[in-house]
Amino acid sequence: MNIQIFGTNKCFDTKKAMRYFKERGIRYQFIDMKEKGMSKGEYWKKWT
């Protein structure tokens, strides 16, 4: 299983999700949206 968490380090919900998976020993990948940002395609997909 490949779990990705998109968020920011300051976001309460992001921290909560990372803590949930860490406590259960489930591997995940964190993508910091403040660093990466969204491409035009991702932005368009989100709002359509």
Side-chain angles (χ1 to χ4, degrees), residues 2 4-7 16 18 20 22 26 28 37-38 41-42 44-47:
N2 199 11
Q4 294 181 319
I5 299 173
F6 292 83
K16 191 174 173 182
M18 290 192 299
Y20 175 88
K22 186 174 183 177
I26 301 170
Y28 63 89
M38 287 173 45
E42 290 170 325
W44 178 253
K45 202 176 220 182
K46 181 179 178 182
W47 297 108

Side-chain angles (χ1 to χ4, degrees), residues 27-48:
R27 294 179 62 188
Y28 63 89
Q29 179 184 12
F30 171 63
I31 292 93
D32 189 348
M33 293 304 292
K34 195 158 192 155
E35 267 184 35
K36 180 188 178 289
M38 287 173 45
S39 70
K40 287 181 182 180
E42 290 170 325
Y43 185 78
W44 178 253
K45 202 176 220 182
K46 181 179 178 182
W47 297 108
T48 58

Side-chain angles (χ1 to χ4, degrees), residues 6-28:
F6 292 83
T8 63
N9 285 320
K10 293 184 178 183
C11 175
F12 175 77
D13 292 325
T14 300
K15 288 180 183 179
K16 191 174 173 182
M18 290 192 299
R19 185 175 62 241
Y20 175 88
F21 290 114
K22 186 174 183 177
E23 287 174 353
R24 287 156 180 79
I26 301 170
R27 294 179 62 188
Y28 63 89

